[in-house]
Amino acid sequence: MTAATAADSKQKLDAALETGNPRKIAQAAMAHIWPLFDKHYLDLIHAIEKIPLSLLENYPVLWILHRVNPVLAHKRTPFKPHLNAETVKSMTTDEVDMLTLAQMIAFRYSGDVTAALAYASRLADRIRSRGTGFRERADGPLWFYHQQIGSTMLAAGETGPALTELAASAEIGQIAGRPDARRLALSRVALAHAKRGSLEEAERVLAELPQLPEPCAPYSEPTRFAENTAAALIGVERMIDDIDPLLAKLDSFGSLQVTWPYGLLARTRSLLARKRPDEALECVHLARDAHTEQHGSLAIDVMNAATIDALWALGSKKQARAAAFRTEQKGFLETSAAIRLAIADDKLDFAETHLRRLSEQRTLAPAQHTERIILSAWLSIAKADSIDPTTAQRVAHIVQRGNSRRILSQIPQEVLSSVRCELDDSMHPTFDVSVTGITHVMVQTRPTLTTSELRVLTALKRELTTAEIAAQLHVSPNTIKSQLRSVYRKLSCSNRAEAIQTGLTLQLISVDDDNR
């Protein structure tokens, strides 16, 4: 690898192409890989495609750039570039940097995000431990290394560390006078903020980007998709009315962009919030068909969480339970989906245990803190039919900010009603305006009835009058009336017939109850 100018590098590549010798082409491309990639991308790609694949496998960096190989990475045995120790010893520091970069990207393409993270850490360590004149030149690849390390962290869902790397990339791009580098890095900064729930910060970054010029190949498409995906995630979380045009700009299910799991997240969340679980499940199926199971990745977390929510909403409760209550380690999205299902399914011990584990984590993003608070409020209602004033105030603050309308749509209306009851009367008008238009998708909850309430519900099925129920249970008619009101409220019903039907649907009472 040389420090030649882009023009000199292009001349050397052209000379190799004139020989028609694939090995010479490969050697020339590798010797000038960064200036060719950065300034003569299309010419480099054209040259690489003249090299036979059998030879290309000896040049991992070139293999990564061949347009067909990443596309096929999930269709055949993954390409995992390794070189023997003796070969690596003969390489310069800059050549090992580039090899490590290629290894990181190759593993990311093949779906092994855990291995990709290991190479990202290795490259980051190399950057910290030793500098090189080539790497740190104004026209060098340092900004790109940071950008790719951050992008690999995004693929793993590690948005906090990703922000650090991407911010470094943006600053180096600024120092080097590279607005295209800065725009690419900032587009992914906006994406990370949107995923974390820092929506105002994501919007601020997105507003800055149009002031920078449109990047050219190879940076134009990644930049565009990152910007579009960040905007879509913001719209989905706020549940804006005109979300479909934003979703239409996302990359496809088979995309190789780092942004594709974030696009899948935006699509499935929007569809579930709009009560279209069958379409959300189809999105998951398409994504699974297009990609390998990326264990340790954001992608698998998104797919598993959406599957649980969609199956439950479709009434496939047995399948939803099987997906939610697996013993395997879960990501945050899958864990929160399992907790929602557990509360709705009256498996409160499971919900409480996993919520406690979430609360013990010190690295939760703002959106994750928000979801934990809302789920805790719902669990409190499910367990004790009450909510403490502190939690109610926290939920009210979340409601009034307006950034979490989608999350609020995942819980029953009664939770927000209970929150409202704990607020001062002066707060009611603002609270009511903030919750206007939220459609709650988790409506078929399985509430917890007290023993006395279950007896009353069973007695309703026997068509007993209030007086007869009171006499049978040895309490006053007023007590039965009070318990009936509580049953109606918990089951979201207004009369006996509805209460009986809901009780049967939720398996609170059985069709086989005797009529004694």
Side-chain angles (χ1 to χ4, degrees):
M1 185 180 298
T2 70
T5 66
D8 290 340
S9 298
K10 174 66 165 55
Q11 289 178 357
K12 296 290 178 57
L13 181 64
D14 287 343
L17 285 168
E18 288 178 3
T19 69
N21 185 318
R23 189 171 297 278
K24 289 184 178 180
I25 296 172
Q27 291 171 344
M30 275 305 305
H32 306 276
I33 186 65
W34 173 248
L36 289 173
F37 175 84
D38 193 39
K39 299 297 184 182
H40 299 283
Y41 178 73
L42 297 180
D43 294 309
L44 174 62
I45 295 303
H46 173 72
I48 289 173
E49 291 174 356
K50 291 185 176 297
I51 304 171
L53 293 181
S54 58
L55 176 60
L56 206 58
E57 290 186 355
N58 297 323
Y59 299 89
V61 178
L62 303 184
W63 183 95
I64 290 297
L65 294 173
H66 195 295
R67 287 180 292 186
V68 73
N69 284 323
V71 174
L72 297 178
H74 55 280
K75 298 291 186 181
R76 62 188 182 195
T77 303
F79 175 67
K80 299 180 178 181
H82 295 285
L83 294 180
N84 62 60
E86 291 303 315
T87 301
V88 174
K89 285 181 182 178
S90 67
M91 299 171 70
T92 67
T93 298
D94 290 312
E95 287 172 338
V96 176
D97 284 351
M98 198 63 69
L99 172 63
T100 306
L101 174 72
Q103 290 170 318
M104 176 180 67
I105 297 173
F107 278 94
R108 200 171 72 206
Y109 281 157
S110 66
D112 193 343
V113 177
T114 300
L117 278 175
Y119 281 103
S121 177
R122 186 177 302 179
L123 182 57
D125 287 343
R126 292 182 60 81
I127 292 171
R128 283 192 294 267
S129 64
R130 68 193 80 176
T132 74
F134 171 72
R135 184 204 295 153
E136 296 172 8
R137 284 171 37 169
D139 59 350
L142 183 59
W143 73 267
F144 189 72
Y145 291 162
H146 281 288
Q147 190 267 335
Q148 284 296 311
I149 292 169
S151 296
T152 300
M153 292 172 173
L154 282 181
E158 297 182 2
T159 53
L163 281 172
T164 300
E165 294 293 336
L166 294 168
S169 178
E171 289 304 311
I172 294 169
Q174 177 80 3
I175 293 169
R178 293 290 304 270
D180 54 345
R182 182 170 175 79
R183 182 160 183 172
L184 173 57
L186 288 180
S187 69
R188 292 186 174 178
V189 166
L191 180 62
H193 281 307
K195 166 64 171 57
R196 291 175 63 79
S198 303
L199 304 191
E200 287 85 0
E201 185 63 19
E203 284 183 314
R204 184 194 66 76
V205 176
L206 287 176
E208 177 184 340
L209 298 185
Q211 302 171 32
L212 300 171
E214 288 280 350
C216 299
Y219 312 122
S220 56
E221 191 173 74
T223 301
R224 183 175 71 254
F225 281 131
E227 292 176 14
N228 292 345
T229 307
L233 281 173
I234 294 169
V236 167
E237 292 310 300
R238 290 175 174 163
M239 291 184 69
I240 64 172
D241 292 333
D242 199 20
I243 189 63
D244 285 326
L246 295 179
L247 298 177
K249 295 179 181 179
L250 301 176
D251 43 351
S252 67
F253 295 105
S255 170
L256 294 169
Q257 298 292 339
V258 170
T259 50
W260 80 261
Y262 293 83
L264 179 65
L265 180 65
R267 285 189 175 100
T268 53
R269 280 182 166 179
S270 178
L271 291 167
L272 289 166
R274 291 186 285 170
K275 297 187 178 182
R276 292 154 62 179
D278 52 337
E279 295 176 55
L281 200 57
E282 175 64 8
C283 287
V284 172
H285 290 159
L286 291 172
R288 288 192 192 278
D289 288 343
H291 298 274
T292 54
E293 293 288 323
Q294 301 193 354
H295 296 290
S297 69
L298 174 67
I300 195 68
D301 199 19
V302 172
M303 290 189 280
N304 289 348
T307 297
I308 293 169
D309 287 334
L311 288 173
W312 185 258
L314 288 168
S316 302
K317 293 181 168 43
K318 184 176 181 180
Q319 290 177 275
R321 293 184 187 107
F325 303 140
R326 294 178 301 188
T327 57
E328 290 94 338
Q329 185 176 2
K330 300 177 175 65
F332 181 89
L333 300 177
E334 186 179 359
T335 298
S336 60
I339 292 171
R340 286 195 296 273
L341 187 147
I343 300 174
D345 204 27
D346 200 27
K347 291 181 169 53
L348 303 186
D349 288 343
F350 177 96
E352 187 169 27
T353 297
H354 285 76
L355 264 176
R356 184 171 59 252
R357 290 175 183 172
L358 291 183
S359 66
E360 292 169 354
Q361 295 183 19
R362 297 182 179 181
T363 57
L364 292 181
Q368 294 172 334
H369 276 297
T370 294
E371 189 148 5
R372 182 184 61 80
I373 291 169
I374 291 172
L375 289 175
S376 296
W378 184 9
L379 178 61
S380 178
I381 299 296
K383 287 183 65 178
D385 196 27
S386 64
I387 185 171
D388 65 272
T390 300
T391 302
Q393 289 288 339
R394 289 175 178 171
V395 174
H397 177 70
I398 291 168
V399 167
Q400 291 164 10
R401 284 197 64 194
N403 283 341
S404 306
R405 290 173 65 83
R406 181 202 60 81
I407 298 175
L408 293 168
S409 76
Q410 306 299 301
I411 62 174
Q413 171 64 46
E414 68 179 273
V415 177
L416 295 185
S417 298
S418 296
V419 168
R420 187 181 188 277
C421 290
E422 292 295 329
L423 303 178
D424 293 335
D425 290 347
S426 61
M427 298 179 65
H428 288 174
T430 302
F431 184 87
D432 293 342
V433 170
S434 299
V435 299
T436 299
I438 295 179
T439 303
H440 298 268
V441 296
M442 295 292 289
V443 291
Q444 291 196 10
T445 58
R446 190 171 186 266
T448 301
L449 301 186
T450 65
T451 301
S452 297
E453 289 166 347
L454 282 171
R455 288 174 180 168
V456 170
L457 182 59
T458 301
L460 291 183
K461 183 174 173 293
R462 297 174 187 155
E463 299 182 358
L464 299 178
T465 66
T466 299
E468 289 170 336
I469 296 173
Q472 187 179 87
L473 299 182
H474 307 291
V475 296
S476 71
N478 284 337
T479 297
I480 297 301
K481 290 178 182 178
S482 175
Q483 291 173 341
L484 272 175
R485 286 195 296 270
S486 180
V487 168
Y488 290 165
R489 179 176 55 78
K490 288 184 178 183
L491 300 186
S492 299
C493 298
S494 58
N495 57 54
R496 294 187 174 209
E498 290 179 358
I500 293 168
Q501 183 57 52
T502 302
L504 290 170
T505 299
L506 298 179
Q507 300 180 350
L508 295 169
I509 55 177
S510 170
V511 293
D512 298 324
D513 286 338
D514 58 43
N515 291 312
R516 291 177 299 172

